[in-house]
DNA sequence: CATGAATGAGAGTTCATTCAT
DNA sequence: TATGAATGAACTCTCATTCAT
């Protein structure tokens, strides 16, 4: 389950057995942090879950926080990959507009958040446990979105004047729709409509176009 | 600094002296939680900051968490009032469109978040400390936004078909723009442009209107 | 419910209102200590039960322990009176043997312990809270029993050679039968047989009399 | 000092070092509780006495109360063994009557109570700290005495009609004589006479046998 | 490398008592 | 005298981390 990305907060095991133990700890921690949150989770219950001795924890991680950071970075990387794959997939189909691509990125994220709702919360909790990780995650993500927006402007299917702020706004939409429809999903929610909803907003905003709007252009 | 709203997690003092003590504790806690977060904050350092004895804390609150919950509810109430006042203010000027009102609500929120950036974090941390408070805050807020959207549809200046999901999306935009431009403000940010940015998105989305769009209506 | 006995651990109120408050505190404390024991009982819950303010407690008692001591002494006095009345009652009927009197004293104690099972426990707890009160209670009681035994010897219906130790043994019997059949009474217990059981032991012990026993006298 | 009996309130150590630590805690706690009683004893002073770190306490016991319970059960077991050994010892000599055996059990108990006077108090305090342990101890003990009485009746040297109540009465005698002559021993007490005193009571009760008594049989 | 006992700083909380009103 | 807010010492318990085996 670990991504290949460098996770500097974990020590690199040299043996195969070591790699297995590290993996077990990582997975156990993801579950534990996801279920209980950072502060309620305890090192001993992580090791118990992983089926290794308490002391072994410190063979692989310098501290509880170091493991958490490693997890956040791993999650961040995976969220990034998921979104990129979502975009690439639609690009291969050809004819995709920039809005299509953003919707695809968003949909992939939403699917991911639904599948790993609890674990996903780890990223949010990093705001209070490892703020630098949190900030880095969202800044990186915003930058990536903004770069796509810039390309869209170049291609001509996005409006001029889109700025980094637009990227943050879009990211906020995605996160809160994810919160509402992935983490807090209710029976009866029409989750399949959410991507269209996003597309709508990106395409037209929420206002009814006024006659002047039409005439203006 | 306390709002009048019922804060059932705090015991009501009957004397003037008691009210002063409660207020001091509340203010000290807001600072302490804002600076350090829930888990790093300690009851004894809150009482030290407030200039009262440790035991006095428990005259007014059942636990550290109860105080935190009371604070979250108080913050939530204040954020709500701020947004409502923002809307009301623009309504009195007359001629305000629904988008104007949303931008006004958003701007007021942003101003508030900037002024109380640290304290505002308390609401976000409640996601992990008092999840029910957190959820209630955002569900209530989304409902309020959605009600405004419905009125806008009735008035005719918002598109048909706006749903609760649109409210969540707008809330997400506001929160993330608040995070970026209030909490993580950088020198050189053109914060005064943010309301316009929001207006843009709400008015037109991000896509360049296509010819078909025009013809369609 | 207070006996007239000097209870030096309680301050003497001068007004009628004061006497009423003292009484309320005393009764509330008896219930509270009886239900919860000394350490689980709290001054504030005693005052709450009594319907007076917390601070008023210290108008009447120097400390929680002082109240407890006063209660123990009061209980001790009442137990003593109960036993004495039991004896006196049977004496007025005439023809009562010394064993009859001891059984009467015991029966009265048992009735009392059954009626005030919980409150009675206060005396036992004093072993750990106010050991001097506890010791005084049992030493006094033993002495009283021993004095009755001496009279019985003089009258000729008790064996020569009975000592203080016999009094302690009898007291132990009474207390443990009280524990078993008053405090820990079970459905199906034939409590009415207990006095006869005591009489049996006092009269003959538990051994089957041997032929030598008979011949010896 | 630990008996082999299962003491489920203590975690079982797996290493020799662990066993030593547990033993030290147990012994220190027995002293501490014996001297100060449950509520005055503190976990930190127990660990200090044991020469281990505070935290080590919780490696072996869930709480202060759990240790206390373990101690009570251990004491209870030891008191039981002591009495049984007293009886067995006299049985090997042959010719012992049932009364001899009861006196032997009692004497052994008294010796034990004298040697561990303070520690023995722990069982009594359990009435208020771990009532179920207390009750179990005395109910078990009474049952054991009653079983011996039944055997004596079968053998023919104890009177018919002895019941559980007689066992409780005898237990009470033992406990109160133990209290008076072991815990509260005074200079000048003829402690060596106490077993004979008990034998007297068990053999004949306290009454002077009446002529009718003789004729009756 | 693995183990799990040992460590001890530090936390939240209680509550008998005091005292200003 | 009655009130109840204020006090702060003292307590039990947790748990990340260390370390001897």
């Amino acid at each position: 389950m670990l991504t290949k990305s460098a996770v500097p907060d974990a020590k690199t095991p040299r043996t195969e057995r070591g790699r297995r133990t590290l993996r077990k700890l990582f997975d156990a921690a993801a579950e534990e942090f996801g279920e209980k949150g950072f502060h309620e989770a305890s090192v001993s219950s992580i090791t118990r879950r992983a089926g290794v001795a308490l002391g072994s924890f410190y063979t692989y991680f310098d501290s509880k926080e170091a493991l958490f950071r490693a997890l956040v970075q791993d999650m961040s990387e995976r969220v990034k990959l998921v979104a990129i794959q979502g975009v690439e997939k639609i690009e291969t189909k050809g004819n995709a507009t920039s809005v299509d691509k953003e919707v695809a990125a968003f949909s992939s994220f939403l699917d991911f958040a639904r599948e790993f709702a609890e674990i996903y919360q780890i990223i949010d909790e990093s705001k209070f446990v490892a703020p630098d990780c949190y900030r880095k995650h969202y800044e990186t993500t915003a930058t990536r979105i903004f770069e796509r927006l810039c390309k869209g402007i170049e291609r001509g299917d996005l409006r001029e004047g889109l700025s980094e702020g637009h990227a943050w706004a879009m990211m906020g939409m995605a996160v809160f729709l994810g919160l509402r429809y992935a983490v807090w999903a209710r029976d009866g929610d029409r989750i399949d409509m959410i991507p269209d909803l996003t597309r709508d907003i990106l395409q037209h905003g929420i206002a009814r176009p006024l006659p002047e709007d039409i005439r203006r252009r």
Side-chain angles (χ1 to χ4, degrees), chain A:
Chain A
M1 229 198 213
L2 266 69
T3 59
K4 287 159 296 194
S5 82
V7 177
D9 291 288
K11 293 167 193 162
T12 312
R14 311 214 172 281
T15 68
E16 178 53 33
R17 177 164 69 139
R19 266 185 294 278
R20 266 207 312 279
T21 302
L22 175 58
R23 170 76 56 99
K24 280 192 287 185
L25 282 170
F26 219 77
D27 292 348
E31 286 178 36
E32 181 84 2
F33 286 135
E35 284 174 22
K36 302 189 188 167
F38 181 80
H39 290 95
E40 294 305 306
S42 73
V43 173
S44 75
S45 98
I46 289 170
T47 53
R48 212 176 308 127
R49 217 189 259 256
V52 304
L54 174 58
S56 301
F57 183 93
Y58 293 89
T59 305
Y60 296 100
F61 300 98
D62 279 332
S63 65
K64 182 184 173 187
E65 192 187 315
L67 166 53
F68 187 83
R69 300 174 69 88
L71 260 177
V72 172
Q73 287 161 48
D74 184 61
M75 288 297 301
S76 177
E77 188 65 17
R78 285 163 67 193
V79 171
K80 170 179 143 190
L81 292 179
V82 155
I84 289 178
Q85 284 161 10
V87 174
E88 284 174 350
K89 201 167 152 195
I90 210 172
E91 278 177 338
T92 59
K93 292 188 183 169
N95 267 81
T97 65
S98 292
V99 167
D100 291 335
K101 289 176 192 171
E102 290 311 312
V103 172
F106 166 77
S107 290
S108 304
F109 164 76
L110 197 68
D111 290 344
F112 179 83
R114 285 174 63 197
E115 185 163 11
F116 302 105
E118 291 196 329
I119 299 183
Y120 174 72
Q121 303 250 53
I122 291 171
I123 288 185
D124 274 2
E125 192 166 14
S126 72
K127 182 166 183 182
F128 305 98
V129 174
D132 55 323
C133 292
Y134 180 81
R135 185 162 177 168
K136 188 179 171 201
H137 169 69
Y138 280 112
E139 289 184 338
T140 308
T141 305
T143 301
R144 214 162 42 243
I145 296 175
F146 183 51
E147 286 166 358
R148 287 199 303 262
L149 295 185
C150 290
K151 277 196 213 151
I153 297 170
E154 283 175 33
R155 294 175 58 212
D157 60 357
L158 292 185
R159 285 197 288 107
E160 307 279 338
L162 298 181
S163 67
E164 201 202 343
H166 290 83
W168 282 84
M170 290 166 63
M171 188 163 65
M173 281 176 41
V175 168
F176 268 68
L177 287 170
L179 178 66
R180 170 63 185 79
Y181 295 100
V183 180
W184 294 340
R186 303 173 191 167
D187 287 349
D189 282 343
R190 300 296 317 266
I191 299 182
D192 49 326
M193 296 304 181
I194 303 301
D196 287 341
L197 184 157
T198 319
R199 176 189 309 278
D200 254 23
I201 296 181
L202 298 182
Q203 200 72 256
H204 317 108
I206 62 169
R208 174 188 300 278
L210 302 178
E212 299 90 284
D213 277 350
I214 301 170
R215 223 173 301 140
R216 182 145 55 97
R217 32 186 62 258

